[in-house]
Amino acid sequence: MSSSRFDEFLSKVTSKIKSKEAHKMIKKELTNHLVELSQTFQKGGVSKEEADDKAIKEMGNPFTIGDNLNRIHKPKMDWLLIFLFIIIAGISFLPLVGGVPEMAIFNTFFIGRQAIWLTLSILVIVGILFFDYRKLTKSWVFFFGSGLALLVLTNLSGYTTNGVKTWISFFGFRMNVTVLSLFFLFLAWAGIFNKINTFNSWKKQMLLFFLFWSPIFFYMMLPNIMFGIIYFFCIGSMFAFSQVQKRLAVSIGLVNMVAGLIFLCSMIMYFRKNFFYIRLSAFINPDADPNGAGYMYILVKDILSNSGWFGRGLYNDINIQQILPAAHTDFVFPYLVYSLGWLFGILLCIILLIFILRISINALKTKDLFGRLLVIGGAVLFTVPTCWNVLMGFGIVPIMGVSLPFISYGGSMLLFYSAILGFILNVYRKKDIVEPTITYLH
């Protein structure tokens, strides 16, 4: 290969491409094409030097090629996803307009706090957006160790709120470390599945078994059943798109299915006399205990049935916030439907559905496996709590402590979802810059 001729041609091409990150990938692609052309000409009896010159000539004007590639290989912003985030973030102020009666604090306090949290969330999104997510590919051991350590710490020294250990106090500052643990575990599994086919020995598969089930065990011990469910679906979805070899996938799948059934039966027996079991029984038959565990199911059903198409207004029936606990957090959807009507509720569901579908579509646009896993996992982290929060208002799923992403009040969850969105936007921004790592089987 005449490297000097090709290098000069490639330098002219890349001089027109603004994204420095794309230079290496473009040079590699064009070099392979030039070599193939040169070899084709050499087979026709042309000398190597002549073949190289003809290959360069065949490619065309390097500056024109550079201009065309610059339009293709440049950072892109998903403005639709950003626009939807702005709309959803704006809706998050509506549940706070009437204040939070059970806390006897002026509504302006919560609106101000929400504005501060949203400002911090935007800074988190921007900070992650311009970070090279590929640098985290090999850091899965650190992330998993951090996530598991936080779960152990929470089980040992976390303090209980509403029957669940979630918070830990550091020098007087409260931190929701359960949310942070889920974020670390999400990043860890993206790194693990990026190299899943290296876990082909039985020892490594046993390691995978421990890595998968140990966080679920600790989530159940808190007990934070909802986080265990979100974690399960998030990791399971990433595994499904991890390009794992078929034989390895069957082996891992069968072992974990059997373990899952045993684990589920064990949890049912363990929680048989637990508060969670009582709530589950109330979900199956709320009328059996209408003044106890079934009260919330009956209350939410009545609230939604009396909402009407246009609602009762945010101020017209302020008693609804006194009747419905956690109207600004866990039961934000029933509250918004009651206040603003079913038309608003349907519109909100459509907006959330478009938001999730947009993320899911973006996952298929990137050619980088690690990036795709991050987006798929992120889509599930939005989908499960969104669907659960809405469906438990209809009594379709059990009532649990789960926030509606970007709408329910709460700083920790807002920052968590913002960080996930930052990674999703980051992957989309680099989708035409990163070198492909996904192989397609035909």
Side-chain angles (χ1 to χ4, degrees), residues 16-138:
K16 291 291 185 177
I17 300 171
K18 295 180 181 179
S19 175
K20 303 296 182 184
E21 292 178 273
H23 284 192
K24 183 180 178 181
M25 179 179 66
I26 291 170
K27 284 183 177 180
K28 184 178 179 180
E29 290 178 357
L30 293 181
T31 298
N32 291 336
H33 196 44
L34 285 166
V35 170
E36 288 176 1
L37 284 172
S38 178
Q39 290 174 349
T40 302
F41 290 129
Q42 288 178 54
K43 288 178 181 178
V46 179
S47 68
K48 189 174 185 305
E49 289 74 15
E50 240 184 302
D52 288 346
D53 288 336
K54 289 185 71 174
I56 292 172
K57 187 176 180 181
E58 183 78 14
M59 292 290 289
N61 189 315
F63 297 112
T64 303
I65 295 172
D67 286 331
N68 291 333
L69 290 175
N70 181 57
R71 286 192 290 270
I72 298 171
H73 297 280
K74 66 179 181 179
K76 294 180 175 64
M77 293 294 292
D78 191 344
W79 294 110
L80 175 59
L81 203 57
I82 293 173
F83 177 68
L84 291 171
F85 163 71
I86 293 172
I87 292 176
I88 296 171
I91 293 173
S92 70
F93 288 97
L94 296 178
L96 306 174
V97 169
V100 182
E102 63 259 33
M103 300 188 73
I105 300 177
F106 292 112
N107 59 345
T108 52
F109 171 81
F110 289 100
I111 292 175
R113 287 286 295 272
Q114 185 74 351
I116 293 172
W117 285 119
L118 277 173
T119 302
L120 292 175
S121 297
I122 292 171
L123 293 176
V124 168
I125 292 173
V126 173
I128 294 177
L129 178 61
F130 294 100
F131 171 77
D132 189 355
Y133 70 87
R134 292 169 294 175
K135 293 181 179 179
L136 305 178
T137 307
K138 299 179 180 180

Side-chain angles (χ1 to χ4, degrees), residues 170-236:
F170 290 102
F171 304 104
F173 177 75
R174 289 202 318 165
M175 179 181 293
N176 189 337
V177 292
T178 315
V179 175
L180 190 58
S181 71
L182 183 60
F183 177 69
F184 283 151
L185 292 170
F186 154 70
L187 294 178
W189 279 104
I192 293 171
F193 289 140
N194 188 55
K195 49 184 287 186
I196 183 64
N197 290 317
T198 62
F199 290 82
N200 48 12
S201 68
W202 70 269
K203 290 182 179 179
K204 290 184 177 179
Q205 290 181 40
M206 289 301 295
L207 174 63
L208 278 180
F209 181 85
F210 168 78
L211 294 178
F212 177 69
W213 288 102
S214 54
I216 294 179
F217 172 79
F218 284 110
Y219 282 129
M220 294 300 177
M221 291 300 101
L222 289 174
N224 196 324
I225 312 297
M226 193 66 239
F227 268 55
I229 293 172
I230 294 172
Y231 168 84
F232 179 86
F233 281 104
C234 176
I235 308 311

Side-chain angles (χ1 to χ4, degrees), residues 413-441:
M413 294 305 300
L414 190 56
L415 293 177
F416 167 74
Y417 290 123
S418 298
I420 301 298
L421 181 59
F423 275 110
I424 291 169
L425 292 171
N426 189 331
V427 174
Y428 183 88
R429 182 175 179 270
K430 295 180 181 293
K431 68 184 180 68
D432 296 319
I433 298 174
V434 298
E435 191 169 349
T437 60
I438 294 176
T439 56
Y440 295 94
L441 301 177

Side-chain angles (χ1 to χ4, degrees), residues 237-282:
S237 299
M238 286 197 286
F239 174 71
F241 287 87
S242 63
Q243 293 205 318
V244 59
Q245 294 173 357
K246 187 175 181 180
R247 183 176 295 180
L248 181 59
V250 172
S251 175
I252 294 173
L254 287 176
V255 170
N256 282 278
M257 281 178 61
V258 173
L261 290 173
I262 296 173
F263 186 83
L264 183 62
C265 293
S266 301
M267 288 297 101
I268 291 175
M269 295 302 297
Y270 177 81
F271 287 117
R272 193 169 182 82
K273 296 181 180 179
N274 189 279
F275 178 63
F276 172 76
Y277 187 82
I278 297 173
R279 293 176 66 177
L280 185 61
S281 301

